[in-house]
Amino acid sequence: MTGLGWPSIIRLGLVQSAIGAIVVLMTSTLNRIMVVEYGLAATVPAGFVAWHYAVQLSRARWGHGSDGGSRRTPWIAGGMAVLAVGALLATVATTRLAGSPAFGVALAVVAFALIGVGVGAAGTSLLALLASRVAPARRAAAAAITWIMMIVGFIVTTAIAGKLLDPFSPDRLLAVVTGVVVIAFIVSLVGIVGIERRDAMPTSTRPAIPFAVALAEIWSDPQARRFTAFVAVSMLAYSAQELILEPFAGLLFGFTPGESTSLAALQHGGALVGMIAAGVAGNAFSGRAGWMRGWTIAGCIGSAAALGVLAFAATAGPAFPLRPTVFVLGLANGVFAVAAIGSMMGLAGGGGAGREGVRMGVWGAAQAIAFAVGGFVGAAGIDVGRRLFGSTPDAFVAVFAAEAAVFLIAAVLAARIDTQVSVRSPRLNPSFAKG
């Protein structure tokens, strides 16, 4: 089998960019509007976002399904269609929360469930396609390219949406999101059409097995278990700040919706720089043992340091240089993300042909659990902290400090992962496989 060339990898990056463009508005912009413009408790949008991540526990099942087919692109296209519908319904639900709260909440529950299904099906199948079709020497660079393009999608979407959303109105919000969703769906189709050809697909020499047995294969591998733990802890730390950063800027620094959305663009710009640096390093040092692990650890430690500075910023007030700090946080996040995704692709490919989807699904499910818990706990921590301390700045200090500590734990876990090992699932007992 000939691995995917750079043009094909870039095209698949367009799909990742499209997914990110839609999701960033759902988890960041809608969250801020519910909290600041509509005055809802931070736990309300956090609950919706947590629900969409809970639905993504099905990622392993989606991955196993794509493993059993001749092509993965139908799973990607179908997932994008579901994601698009869910995003539009979530926006309508947001605009109805003030006037018809019961209807708005019910519609949001359905909408965020669709978003979770769409991201799970499209995202897992996309990563599995990359893991199965990209040569090992190119995996780190491929991870960097696809994630860089996702961040570009974040930046372009949040920057343009930030300008178009001011002055805020429900109709303006719906128009902006509709435009983003339509463009993103078209871009995703451009990215996947013709990318797979039946005669170019890798052929698995391993028999198809039931879903439960595939999971057992993965969990019997020590490296897979360690990596699952790292994904869960690192994503817990990352996600806990995702839903509170824009409210933080609005509540303590007086940012408007457009300004706080642009702040998110700045954070993603920092992540872009970090990803480029990690991708270049991966191409230069791919033959050196442990480079991915070292960059992952460095990214986790850098993220912890930036969160510590944000905790100080909460007490320093509006005069503090918030934008540079957020940029550095994004930079560190980008370094650890690309190194970790490069490791993930290598470990998934190490399971053998026909198992990439379910492996990516397991790690995607671990990420989803972490995001569901992290996003909700981070937002709930602000609400609880404001009541407990009687101070909004002190609440943000406590949450940012806790996130920094969890990132340091993730760095310790990353040090225990041997990314140079060629991971192979152990041979199953035939009687167990039949059961």
Side-chain angles (χ1 to χ4, degrees), residues 17 19 28 41 76 92 158 189 197-198 205 212 228 277-278 285 295 350 404 432:
S17 180
I19 294 173
S28 184
I76 299 172
V92 172
T158 52
L189 293 182
R197 295 181 176 86
R198 292 182 183 275
T205 59
T228 302
F285 304 117
W295 278 73
F432 174 67

Side-chain angles (χ1 to χ4, degrees), residues 111-413:
F112 277 91
L114 291 175
I115 293 170
V117 169
V119 172
T124 302
S125 301
L126 175 65
L127 290 175
L129 179 58
L130 285 166
S132 63
R133 298 290 304 277
V134 173
R138 291 182 173 181
R139 281 173 180 160
I145 288 172
T146 53
W147 252 251
I148 285 168
M149 294 184 70
M150 180 181 71
I151 295 301
V152 168
F154 284 172
I155 294 170
V156 172
T157 301
T158 52
I160 294 176
K163 298 294 184 183
L164 296 177
L165 282 172
D166 287 337
F168 173 77
S169 72
D171 290 342
R172 185 181 290 268
L173 172 66
L174 185 58
V176 170
V177 173
T178 300
V180 170
V181 166
V182 170
I183 293 172
F185 184 69
I186 293 172
V187 167
S188 69
L189 293 182
V190 171
I192 62 172
V193 169
I195 204 75
E196 288 181 300
R197 295 181 176 86
R198 292 182 183 275
D199 59 352
M201 285 296 293
T203 301
S204 173
T205 59
R206 305 175 68 180
I209 60 174
F211 176 58
V213 177
L215 288 179
E217 274 192 352
I218 296 171
W219 206 245
S220 64
D221 190 309
Q223 285 295 324
R225 289 199 304 271
R226 289 172 188 163
F227 194 75
T228 302
F230 164 74
V231 168
V233 173
S234 62
M235 290 299 109
L236 180 69
Y238 176 83
S239 62
Q241 57 85 24
E242 184 181 28
L243 298 183
I244 63 174
L245 191 58
E246 287 200 47
F248 172 67
L251 292 171
L252 298 187
F253 289 81
F255 281 31
T256 67
E259 287 173 336
S260 65
T261 301
S262 298
L263 183 69
L266 182 65
Q267 180 186 11
H268 297 315
L272 177 63
V273 174
M275 289 178 176
I276 291 173
V280 171
N283 195 48
F285 304 117
S286 59
R288 298 188 183 181
W291 82 264
M292 274 197 263
R293 178 173 54 197
W295 278 73
T296 302
I297 294 170
C300 288
I301 293 174
S303 297
L307 286 165
V309 175
L310 281 179
F312 175 77
T315 62
F320 188 87
L322 180 62
R323 293 180 184 277
T325 305
V326 169
F327 179 85
V328 172
L329 175 62
L331 177 71
N333 287 167
V335 169
F336 111 80
V338 161
I341 294 299
S343 298
M344 184 184 295
M345 290 173 61
L347 293 171
R355 300 292 190 269
E356 299 90 354
V358 70
R359 282 177 168 263
M360 283 294 188
V362 167
W363 295 322
Q367 174 183 313
I369 293 171
F371 269 67
V373 174
F376 185 81
V377 168
I382 298 302
D383 290 338
V384 172
R386 293 168 79 176
R387 289 180 177 272
L388 184 63
F389 302 129
S391 165
T392 298
D394 288 346
F396 279 104
V397 168
V399 173
F400 284 140
E403 292 173 38
V406 177
F407 256 124
L408 292 177
I409 295 172
V412 173
L413 292 174

Side-chain angles (χ1 to χ4, degrees), residues 2-27:
T2 301
L4 289 175
W6 296 119
S8 295
I9 292 172
I10 292 172
R11 285 182 59 193
L12 290 177
L14 289 174
V15 183
Q16 192 78 346
S17 180
I19 294 173
I22 296 175
V23 172
V24 72
L25 292 182
M26 299 300 101
T27 60

Side-chain angles (χ1 to χ4, degrees), residues 77-127:
M80 287 300 302
V82 174
L83 173 59
V85 172
L88 293 175
L89 291 179
T91 306
V92 172
T94 299
T95 64
R96 299 296 297 274
L97 283 172
S100 306
F103 174 78
V105 169
L107 183 58
V109 169
V110 174
F112 277 91
L114 291 175
I115 293 170
V117 169
V119 172
T124 302
S125 301
L126 175 65
L127 290 175

